Amino acid sequence: MEKALQEAARLLAEARRVLVLTGAGVSAESGIPTFRDAQQGLWATFDPMQLASPEGFARDPKLVWEWYAARLEQVEKALPNAGHQALAELERRKEAFLLLTQNVDGLHQRAGNQNVHEIHGSIRRVRCTVTDHVYAEGEIPVRPPFPLLTPQGHLGRPDVVWFGEVIRMDACAAVERFLAAGRPDVLLVVGTTGMFPYIQRWVMQAFGLGTKVIEVNPEPSALADFCHVELAGKAGEVLPGIVSPP
Ligand code: OAD
């Protein structure tokens, strides 16, 4: 592990262009449970098709809003951890940097990252189900009575991607533009099982371009075959040491 940490620190120090892909694991140390954690996963005690699908929302928007309001409260109480902070520091040091996250919690932005793209949307925004207008954070306060209505009296929904919905194409386009503008020197993959094909494709694409791929995850993920350096540890423990080595 020590050698791998040194190698990752060297690759990051030398890199000019850095692409970062993150998943639920990066927020685990902020107290936000990951999706697939069998014991305490968010979906373990709830039916995901009721709480995170357009059909479930149509059936019972009040229930879905109550659940999202509780999740939002948890996210707002949480603080960015040392892993988020290290990624913000990494962005400050690099000439070109893009962070694509599958998380909806906004913790990367709160840590100070600027070029963040949320492929699954954000729990912190409300979208109109009629006009598709997205209200900025806080514009429609998330508090009872639920379901939330827009000022026009239309039904509002959390601005997140649910099962069966299309991912955020603007986030995809941002990654594609970043890749087209020049080969990233390093791709850093943090805290994701890498189960989604679009995440796998970017990792394979970068690998094929000759980008050095570094993964931070305490468990083996689906992406191991495409990683040059695998760091089996927690984001909050590993990232500070490879971004700002002692
Ligand atoms: P998962 O919950 O599937 O996986 C979390 C990953 O984080 C696992 O690989 C863990 O080993 C790892 N992990 C746990 N603690 C960690 C830590 N402290 N540091 C680093 N890694 C850690 O989360 P995602 O891969 O993000 O989609 O899941 C992807 C998507 O599945 C989510 O965005 C969500 C869900 O369905 C939607 O809501 C559309």
Side-chain angles (χ1 to χ4, degrees), residues 12-190:
L12 278 180
E14 290 173 0
R16 276 190 326 111
R17 296 181 68 76
V18 176
L19 177 60
V20 181
L21 304 176
T22 68
V26 77
S27 295
E29 290 153 271
S30 294
I32 299 175
T34 64
F35 290 89
R36 297 199 177 90
D37 186 314
Q39 272 81 52
Q40 47 173 316
L42 281 174
W43 309 119
T45 47
F46 301 99
D47 172 11
M49 292 318 281
Q50 175 54 53
L51 296 170
S53 76
E55 296 78 19
F57 185 65
R59 211 166 22 242
D60 195 343
K62 182 169 182 286
L63 175 76
V64 173
W65 261 120
E66 282 167 355
W67 191 71
Y68 273 92
R71 274 188 72 190
L72 178 61
E73 201 184 327
Q74 180 180 47
V75 159
E76 283 182 340
K77 280 191 193 138
L79 293 173
N81 64 53
H84 295 109
Q85 277 152 8
L87 292 174
E89 177 59 25
L90 185 62
E91 178 169 4
R92 285 191 282 273
R93 291 182 186 188
K94 294 302 160 193
E95 205 175 301
F97 178 99
L98 186 143
L99 192 158
L100 184 286
T101 187
Q102 298 163 82
N103 300 344
V104 297
D105 57 33
L107 285 173
H108 287 304
Q109 293 91 326
R110 282 172 59 197
N113 278 114
Q114 307 268 324
N115 198 15
V116 180
H117 298 271
E118 298 169 312
I119 198 167
H120 292 159
S122 171
I123 193 175
R124 296 156 65 89
R125 293 188 299 261
V126 176
R127 177 150 51 99
C128 176
T129 57
V130 176
T131 64
D132 255 356
H133 178 75
V134 175
Y135 291 86
E137 269 174 39
E139 216 177 329
I140 298 186
V142 179
R143 56 168 179 252
F146 295 122
L148 287 188
L149 299 179
T150 69
Q152 289 75 32
H154 298 147
L155 183 60
R157 59 165 282 180
D159 187 32
V160 297
V161 175
W162 282 330
F163 293 106
E165 293 188 318
V166 179
I167 51 172
R168 289 301 142 87
M169 287 300 154
D170 55 342
C172 294
V175 177
E176 294 297 333
R177 275 196 299 272
F178 189 82
L179 288 167
R183 186 193 74 178
D185 301 303
V186 168
L187 167 60
L188 183 57
V189 186
V190 186

